Amino acid sequence: MSLETSLWTSVSGLFAAQRQLEVASHNIANVNTPGYSRQRVELEPSRPQPGVTGSGGGVVGTGVTIKDIIRLRNGLTDSAYWTESGNSGATQVRSDVLQRAEGILGPVGSGVPEGLSKFWTAWDNLSLNGNDTAARQGVLDAGNELASQIRGASAQLQRLTSDTTHNVSETVDNVNRLAAQAANLNQAIKESMVSGHTPNDLMDQRDQVIDQLTNLTGGIVQAGDFGTQNVYVSNRPLVFGSDTETMQASTSGAVTWTIDGKSVTGGGRLGGLQELVNTTLPSIGSDLDNFADGLRDVINTAHLAGVDQDGNPGQAFFTGTGAHDLAVNASLTTRNVAAATTNNASDASNALNIAGLRTAAAVGSGTLGQSIQALAGRLGGMSASAQASASASQDMLDSISTQRAQDSSVSTDEELANIVQFQHAYEASAKVLQVVDSCLDTLVNLVRS
């Protein structure tokens, strides 16, 4: 090996150790940076050259070459994380909304059944004395209280539906924003890769954006060319290289692709919200309306068949077209309550008939009490099931996140140990360079003498 070769070999060692120190320093600086993946310098021997003629055969090494700077990332773990992130997004939003529904619809589980019980009791009391003005007023008061509780539950459900619908619009805006960011980062990554560089930090930023996108949409991630990542939602490319498609949300919560108006049936948080707005909450509202309509119809039928205190036929007791506007007929007075079936002033047989409706089929084959308890039970069951699913999905996501951290996170202890190793390598190469310099100096002085 010539002294010149030895010189450049030691220089290559200096450059390699210096780059390793730089990367280790970069890792430590980003130990608390969200989404950062630790990096490592990959080295390989430089291309060897034949030995000097006359000094024997063989091939002489020429030092070390920096092959690349890679980020330590497990693609399989990333894929598992992105898949489970979408599941977690859907189950979590469903759990959140149904817990809120269970809370704000508390009257369905407590107030309405209690109000219904008071309503039957008021008719029981009236059946004992049809001429009792206080008992007649008690029937009207109990009816107003029950109707108010049902309207309150309906109004709360409508507010929850409106809030959830607004959340759909906000989520769509976030999806469009994140998709644009991912596309821009894809473009920057591609340009860097084409230039022969590996933009590890840009890839980390892009993958962090994709973490959020998959949580919001349940999108499928596929690798593209030159280090890019593509995201597919509803079998269409939301992000494809540096290109994106955008979504739009209507005031009713429907989500479509902007370019052609076709429906988006995504997963993740957006899919969970769509299911709530389009299916779950309307179904709860429908059950509440069925209860209100059943109450209105069964009571009105019996009340119309009775006679009031003045001997006139009974009027409709309840008005309204569902839970949202159910109310006691505003024209009713204590004298208009149809407690009798005859013109006998003391007759209260119709009040007794109405009180007996507590055991009559009113909503399908069920009584009014069974109907409201079934709705409360269904709501509680859905909420409990959603919470269990969200907890299980989050546990799975946490497990994958732990594995991901083991693959990619920075260990300061490891990096400090590496720095010591790289420092020794640098000092050793510098020592070789110093020896070669001394040899060259000796050689030059010999030639001069």
Side-chain angles (χ1 to χ4, degrees):
M1 177 186 293
S2 68
L3 288 176
E4 181 183 2
T5 301
S6 298
L7 176 66
W8 289 113
T9 297
S10 60
V11 169
S12 71
L14 285 172
F15 285 156
Q18 180 181 354
R19 183 54 57 86
Q20 287 175 314
L21 284 167
E22 291 171 352
V23 171
S25 175
H26 184 59
N27 285 339
I28 292 175
N30 286 279
V31 65
N32 294 318
T33 301
Y36 178 79
S37 302
R38 76 179 185 272
Q39 299 176 16
R40 184 178 67 196
V41 179
E42 282 200 327
L43 304 177
E44 63 180 4
S46 300
R47 185 173 181 178
Q49 65 182 25
V52 178
T53 303
S55 62
V59 177
V60 179
T62 58
V64 65
T65 298
I66 298 173
K67 181 181 178 181
D68 200 359
I69 300 175
I70 63 170
R71 60 179 186 148
L72 300 181
R73 194 91 175 192
N74 189 323
L76 292 176
T77 306
D78 281 340
S79 295
Y81 182 90
W82 289 331
T83 298
E84 193 56 42
S85 179
N87 293 335
S88 179
T91 57
Q92 188 60 57
V93 73
R94 182 174 173 81
S95 174
D96 291 344
V97 172
L98 287 177
Q99 281 188 72
R100 184 180 168 196
E102 190 178 21
I104 69 174
L105 290 179
V108 170
S110 56
V112 173
E114 183 180 351
L116 185 62
S117 178
K118 290 180 178 179
F119 184 65
W120 297 132
T121 299
W123 284 106
D124 282 333
N125 291 336
L126 182 58
S127 71
L128 300 176
N129 186 351
N131 283 327
D132 188 345
T133 302
R136 287 174 168 272
Q137 185 61 50
V139 165
L140 295 177
D141 290 344
N144 280 316
E145 181 182 354
L146 177 59
S148 176
Q149 290 167 332
I150 295 171
R151 289 197 308 273
S154 178
Q156 290 173 336
L157 182 61
Q158 288 175 355
R159 283 195 295 271
L160 178 59
T161 301
S162 176
D163 291 345
T164 307
T165 303
H166 181 67
N167 208 327
V168 171
S169 179
E170 289 182 335
T171 302
V172 166
D173 290 341
N174 284 333
V175 168
N176 290 337
R177 175 181 57 81
L178 290 169
Q181 289 181 13
N184 290 336
L185 287 166
N186 269 343
Q187 179 64 27
I189 290 167
K190 182 175 182 179
E191 291 173 354
S192 184
M193 294 284 282
V194 169
S195 301
H197 304 293
T198 305
N200 294 317
D201 294 335
L202 289 178
M203 289 180 173
D204 285 341
Q205 294 175 36
R206 188 270 321 280
D207 289 351
Q208 197 172 10
V209 171
I210 289 180
D211 287 352
Q212 298 176 66
L213 266 181
T214 53
N215 180 264
L216 293 180
T217 66
I220 297 173
V221 183
Q222 294 183 358
D225 58 354
F226 296 104
T228 60
Q229 294 279 18
N230 304 321
V231 182
Y232 293 83
V233 176
S234 194
N235 295 321
R236 289 176 61 160
L238 174 65
V239 179
F240 191 83
S242 58
D243 298 324
T244 65
E245 282 204 49
T246 59
M247 304 174 183
Q248 58 186 3
S250 70
T251 55
S252 65
V255 182
T256 58
W257 295 104
T258 305
I259 192 171
D260 57 15
K262 291 186 177 179
S263 178
V264 177
T265 53
R269 180 179 180 85
L270 181 60
L273 288 169
Q274 287 178 285
E275 180 185 2
L276 288 162
V277 169
N278 297 327
T279 304
T280 306
L281 296 180
S283 176
I284 296 172
S286 177
D287 286 350
L288 189 59
D289 284 338
N290 289 338
F291 169 78
D293 290 342
L295 172 67
R296 178 200 64 203
D297 293 344
V298 73
I299 298 300
N300 283 355
T301 298
H303 198 258
L304 287 167
V307 178
D308 66 15
Q309 246 182 334
D310 297 320
N312 299 317
Q315 306 174 38
F317 189 87
F318 286 114
T319 61
T321 55
H324 71 284
D325 62 351
L326 182 71
V328 173
N329 190 339
S331 66
L332 285 180
T333 65
T334 55
R335 297 195 65 81
N336 297 137
V337 175
T341 55
T342 68
N343 289 329
N344 187 337
S346 61
D347 181 17
S349 56
N350 199 44
L352 184 63
N353 291 337
I354 293 176
L357 293 176
R358 58 163 54 91
T359 60
V363 183
S365 60
T367 67
L368 289 168
Q370 290 170 339
S371 173
I372 197 63
Q373 291 294 353
L375 175 56
R378 178 185 170 217
L379 186 57
M382 286 193 300
S383 177
S385 176
Q387 290 177 55
S389 295
S391 178
S393 182
Q394 187 60 50
D395 288 344
M396 178 64 73
L397 192 63
D398 289 344
S399 176
I400 298 172
S401 296
T402 299
Q403 180 61 50
R404 210 183 193 194
Q406 292 174 353
D407 293 336
S408 302
S409 63
V410 176
S411 167
T412 52
D413 291 339
E414 180 183 352
E415 296 302 325
L416 289 173
N418 287 339
I419 284 176
V420 173
Q421 176 185 344
F422 302 150
Q423 178 187 7
H424 288 325
Y426 188 91
E427 291 172 349
S429 293
K431 184 64 176 178
V432 172
L433 184 61
Q434 184 181 11
V435 171
V436 172
D437 179 63
S438 177
C439 291
L440 287 173
D441 185 59
T442 301
L443 181 60
V444 170
N445 287 337
L446 286 173
V447 170
R448 286 179 179 175
S449 62

